[in-house]
Amino acid sequence: MAGFFNEMYADDTAEPRPHYREFHRWLDEQPPDIVARKRVEADLMFRRVGITFAVYGSDAGTERLIPFDIIPRIIPAAEWGILQKGLKQRVQALNLFIHDIYHGQNIVKAGIMPAEQVFRNAQYRPEMQGIAVASDIYAHIAGVDIVRAGAGEFYVLEDNLRVPSGVSYMLEDRKMMMRLFPELFARHKVAPVAHYPDLLLDMLRSVAPQGVDDPTVVVMTPGMYNSAYFEHAFLAQQMGIELVEGQDLFVDDNHVYMRTTRGPRRVDVIYRRVDDDFLDPLVFRSDSSLGVPGLLSVYRAGRVTLANAIGTGVADDKSIYPYVPDMIRFYLSEEPILNNVPTYQCRRQEDLRYTLDNLDKLVVKEVHGAGGYGMLVGPASTRAEIEEFRQRVIARPDGYIAQPTLALSACPTYVESGVAPRHIDLRPFVLSGKTVTMVPGGLTRVALKEGSLVVNSSQGGGTKDTWVLEK
């Protein structure tokens, strides 16, 4: 993998970077049979706990174990300090943007954001216009995908603000590493992440409707057949709150209640893992059996908080992504700390022409796509695949963006042939309530296929524990 930034080794040499030296020394000391046994042990424990991911349409079945790699991704304290500052800045600007488009729309009036990009966006919810939400926070939980490319520069690849998932795997990966290799944590000052559920619950309680001093918080799931159901159940259990489905809730006297064995109990904050369209059949999809009839009316009255807010998806749409640096300048009067990836918007004639002429060199994505679906990685595609995708883009250019194929950084990873570099990304989780908080690190995803740049679990990717070293 020459030409890629290697997280562990400096300049493609056998010399480990300073923050990896202690781990590298430990790894060299490990007999191969011990490592092999520990890897099998990790797989067995993950299966026992039920840490799986549903892959829709997969011939392999509905549930798949997410592969876990025992070589961690290590980030030094100084590097993390820059990332953390940049992430907080970005999420703060995104929250201000969402509030603005549902209220004053100043960024549109200023000519910085084209009106059609917002108001014709499939994720824009006109029903949210003018609604006051608690603390003016819309994206309470944000999962921002970060990649390192080139000589080691960090870039934001995308912002996930609707129902970002993956934090349970971050927590379980850490638990697994501490169980398998406790001696490693005696040799490294690794910043803890286990307090994430406490931070999450504190944040959710902090954004309760005005006047509610002891809020009841619940996690709302679409049900056990959802791909991230393990995470929904896990987080509810870790926070010590109820996991509910739409049928467990009802609206009465402009409040939301939960059915319990002791009678109805009022609910003040809903951490919802259900998409906008399915939340209230009286307003959105009338055929939804996942939502709560009348929920939006309670929300409009300010008597329940939804995290994340309805309508946040407009800010994580890939057609909005190119404007985030301008948002930071407009709302915060600051220069962006973290860079965007250069992006071609196919709705623009010039960008479309460039994209069609260079499909074999670019990554092309659907603006509403997720999970690694609906995208073309030009250098890794056949001529037939490129031509088929070309017709899709020509038929609906406003539905696609294109970006250069980044040389994502690589980290040594255990594969069938032994230890080899594989491409990775990082999804830190940013919590926005009365304050903006986050645990050090995030979920590191790894593309297990040699040469692959697609790290998504739904596309066969795995995960690694992410260590942020304390000073």
Side-chain angles (χ1 to χ4, degrees):
M1 281 195 179
F4 296 98
F5 183 90
N6 193 302
E7 297 285 341
M8 186 185 291
Y9 298 110
D11 303 320
D12 288 326
T13 67
E15 182 64 31
R17 299 185 188 278
H19 54 285
Y20 262 105
R21 281 177 191 153
E22 187 62 33
F23 177 83
H24 186 266
R25 191 177 300 120
W26 172 88
L27 192 60
D28 274 352
E29 297 167 357
Q30 303 310 301
D33 60 319
I34 297 291
V35 171
R37 195 172 76 236
K38 294 284 190 179
R39 292 177 66 207
V40 170
E41 191 179 334
D43 279 356
L44 287 172
M45 282 194 279
F46 273 138
R47 285 189 190 281
R48 200 173 301 135
V49 175
I51 304 174
T52 57
F53 188 93
V55 184
Y56 301 123
S58 170
D59 293 334
T62 56
E63 296 289 332
R64 180 184 295 168
L65 185 75
I66 297 181
F68 167 70
D69 185 61
I70 64 172
I71 298 179
R73 191 256 183 91
I74 304 178
I75 302 172
E79 234 170 50
W80 175 249
I82 296 168
L83 279 175
Q84 180 174 248
K85 192 175 178 184
L87 287 162
K88 288 183 176 181
Q89 177 197 57
R90 190 174 181 97
V91 170
Q92 186 182 358
L94 285 164
N95 267 307
L96 289 168
F97 165 70
I98 303 169
H99 179 269
D100 183 25
I101 62 168
Y102 289 119
H103 292 82
Q105 301 166 359
N106 295 312
I107 198 166
V108 174
K109 292 172 183 173
I112 294 167
M113 175 79 69
E116 68 271 14
Q117 286 291 92
V118 175
F119 305 121
R120 292 184 184 174
N121 192 295
Q123 298 301 319
Y124 173 73
R125 297 287 178 259
E127 298 85 356
M128 286 295 293
Q129 201 64 49
I131 293 183
V133 301
S135 304
D136 289 339
I137 301 296
Y138 288 77
H140 305 84
I141 303 100
V144 182
D145 291 348
I146 303 278
V147 296
R148 197 205 289 265
E153 299 88 356
F154 286 107
Y155 294 90
V156 174
L157 194 61
E158 60 183 55
D159 307 288
N160 299 283
L161 306 178
R162 278 174 274 181
V163 282
S165 64
V167 77
S168 58
Y169 307 116
M170 173 191 83
L171 296 170
E172 288 293 339
D173 286 355
R174 174 61 55 83
K175 245 194 278 189
M176 185 64 69
M177 285 296 285
M178 293 182 81
R179 184 179 298 174
L180 293 175
F181 307 109
E183 70 277 15
L184 272 174
F185 292 88
R187 296 167 71 156
H188 296 82
K189 290 184 177 179
V190 182
V193 297
H195 59 298
Y196 175 86
D198 296 331
L199 285 181
L200 177 59
L201 182 57
D202 287 347
M203 181 277 292
L204 292 170
R205 290 175 60 86
S206 78
V207 293
Q210 195 170 4
V212 178
D213 297 323
D214 186 20
T216 295
V217 183
V218 299
V219 176
M220 182 180 177
T221 177
M224 63 183 295
Y225 296 108
N226 182 265
S227 64
Y229 180 72
F230 164 79
E231 177 158 296
H232 308 163
F234 174 89
L235 288 174
Q237 187 270 330
Q238 292 289 307
M239 289 189 283
I241 62 178
E242 294 295 330
L243 177 70
V244 300
E245 297 182 29
Q247 61 192 2
D248 300 318
L249 303 175
F250 66 93
V251 168
D252 185 46
D253 193 26
N254 226 14
H255 288 93
V256 178
Y257 292 89
M258 168 174 52
R259 294 180 173 88
T260 77
T261 54
R262 297 182 178 182
R265 182 180 177 185
R266 189 170 137 186
V267 172
D268 306 296
V269 181
I270 300 174
Y271 176 21
R272 54 99 174 194
R273 300 297 293 260
V274 177
D275 289 338
D276 288 356
D277 287 342
F278 300 94
L279 279 174
D280 186 341
L282 299 183
V283 180
F284 301 114
R285 284 186 56 157
S286 59
D287 61 344
S288 172
S289 59
L290 304 177
V292 184
L295 179 61
L296 188 66
S297 66
V298 182
Y299 191 43
R300 292 183 73 94
R303 294 180 178 174
V304 70
T305 297
L306 298 178
N308 286 348
I310 295 171
T312 56
V314 69
D316 74 6
D317 185 281
K318 293 177 180 65
S319 68
I320 297 295
Y321 163 90
Y323 296 96
V324 178
D326 290 330
M327 290 179 201
I328 292 170
R329 297 182 186 101
F330 183 74
Y331 296 113
L332 303 178
S333 301
E334 298 171 0
E335 280 302 306
I337 296 167
L338 298 175
N339 292 320
N340 266 20
V341 178
T343 301
Y344 302 96
Q345 301 180 60
C346 294
R347 65 182 186 85
R348 296 175 173 171
Q349 280 300 315
E350 188 178 336
D351 287 6
L352 174 63
R353 195 159 43 244
Y354 179 85
T355 298
L356 294 175
D357 288 345
N358 294 277
L359 282 176
D360 59 329
K361 303 180 185 72
L362 299 170
V363 175
V364 189
K365 305 175 183 177
E366 285 184 330
V367 295
H368 305 314
Y373 296 103
M375 65 185 287
L376 174 83
V377 181
S381 301
T382 65
R383 185 173 296 178
E385 288 169 337
I386 290 171
E387 290 310 310
E388 190 269 335
F389 212 88
R390 181 190 304 278
Q391 298 311 312
R392 287 200 228 169
V393 176
I394 291 171
R396 197 167 58 87
D398 61 341
Y400 293 89
I401 61 160
Q403 296 170 332
T405 305
L406 295 181
L408 300 191
S409 67
C411 187
T413 301
Y414 274 102
V415 293
E416 286 186 19
S417 59
V419 177
R422 290 293 184 267
H423 296 297
I424 59 171
D425 79 349
L426 176 67
R427 177 175 289 182
F429 295 90
V430 185
L431 302 178
S432 300
K434 300 292 186 188
T435 59
V436 181
T437 57
M438 54 198 302
V439 295
L443 176 66
T444 290
R445 301 182 297 179
V446 54
L448 295 174
K449 296 174 186 173
E450 186 175 2
S452 174
L453 298 172
V454 183
V455 299
N456 305 74
S457 304
S458 54
Q459 304 293 311
T463 66
K464 290 173 172 284
D465 192 11
T466 308
W467 294 3
V468 172
L469 299 183
E470 296 179 320
K471 291 179 182 176

